[in-house]
Amino acid sequence: MKMFYASASPFVRKCMVVAHEAGLADRIEKLPGVAHPVKTDTSIAAVNPLGQVPTFLTDDGQALFDSRVICEYLDDLGQGSMFPRTCAARWRALTEQSLADGILDAAILARYEITARPEEFQWSGWTQAQMKKIDASLDYFEKGADTYEKGHVDIGAITLGCALGYLDFRFTDYDWRTARPQLSAWFKIFEERPSMRDTAPHA
């Protein structure tokens, strides 16, 4: 198996955390990929019209994207339990995955506004709107953090962990912890999982 990979991508990290949890990480060959909103990586675009990471190639050459599809494929292949089968737990995990993905989408858009858009075209109102979405989403998770069990891991928890890790990595001045002590306490434990430590982002 192969995956177009960028070490700083939180969506790549999400897939690799699932791969580690499923015991499949060593079977994935990492192909270098450049994630950029304007300059398309043609090697990725050859198999994924969106030209995005992560893009995954199965052993039989089938291309899978985006991270939600890749994670479910890996969990199924490894006979894991990241995607609960029972209704209530399943819908909660999938909803939390969607919300945490939304945090990442907003964070990446805010970052692109500063790093990819020419300075004369940057719009502070856009960045503020993205950060407002992040604030509201983290408040939602804070309200439910007291129900998270120690050691519990599913696709919702993994995506949330990767989202919080990305905020720490790319938004070092953003203090999300002070107003959210329960979420902070949960993440302090969750980020020590081997799968999280082994996939920590770097530039």
Side-chain angles (χ1 to χ4, degrees):
M1 298 181 288
K2 301 177 182 180
M3 184 166 65
F4 284 98
Y5 179 93
S7 60
S9 166
F11 291 111
V12 167
R13 185 186 191 189
K14 174 184 167 184
C15 294
M16 290 305 302
V17 170
V18 171
H20 277 278
E21 295 286 347
L24 298 171
D26 292 341
R27 290 178 53 186
I28 299 173
E29 178 184 351
K30 298 173 184 176
L31 304 176
V34 178
H36 193 277
V38 178
K39 301 173 185 177
T40 301
D41 187 323
T42 56
S43 60
I44 303 174
V47 292
N48 177 354
L50 297 174
Q52 296 175 335
V53 295
T55 292
F56 189 89
L57 301 174
T58 65
D59 282 334
D60 60 6
Q62 182 179 6
L64 303 178
F65 44 86
D66 58 7
S67 67
R68 288 166 290 192
V69 176
I70 297 168
C71 287
E72 192 156 2
Y73 174 83
L74 290 169
D75 186 61
D76 183 68
L77 184 64
Q79 299 182 332
S81 58
M82 301 300 102
F83 291 82
R85 301 295 190 263
T86 58
C87 288
R90 179 173 178 80
W91 303 132
R92 173 173 174 166
L94 292 179
T95 298
E96 290 179 348
Q97 174 187 215
S98 180
L99 184 58
D101 276 343
I103 292 173
L104 287 173
D105 287 337
I108 289 172
L109 287 173
R111 176 170 167 75
Y112 281 164
E113 185 69 19
I114 299 170
T115 62
R117 191 182 297 277
E119 186 175 358
E120 63 269 25
F121 298 121
Q122 291 177 13
W123 182 16
S124 62
W126 172 270
T127 303
Q128 292 167 6
Q130 304 311 313
M131 298 308 296
K132 186 176 180 179
K133 293 178 185 179
I134 294 171
D135 280 333
S137 299
L138 294 180
D139 288 343
Y140 175 96
F141 280 116
E142 171 68 11
K143 291 177 183 178
D146 62 340
T147 67
Y148 300 160
E149 298 176 15
K150 290 184 178 179
H152 172 73
V153 56
D154 61 20
I155 193 60
I158 287 172
T159 311
L160 175 58
C162 290
L164 296 176
Y166 185 74
L167 293 175
D168 285 348
F169 177 58
R170 289 301 195 195
F171 296 82
T172 55
D173 293 333
Y174 175 54
D175 177 17
W176 61 265
R177 288 176 170 82
T178 299
R180 304 173 187 94
Q182 294 185 123
L183 186 59
S184 178
W186 171 82
F187 184 58
K188 185 176 181 179
I189 295 171
F190 191 80
E191 68 176 340
E192 290 303 315
R193 293 185 70 85
S195 61
M196 290 290 288
R197 292 200 307 269
D198 291 343
T199 60
H202 56 87

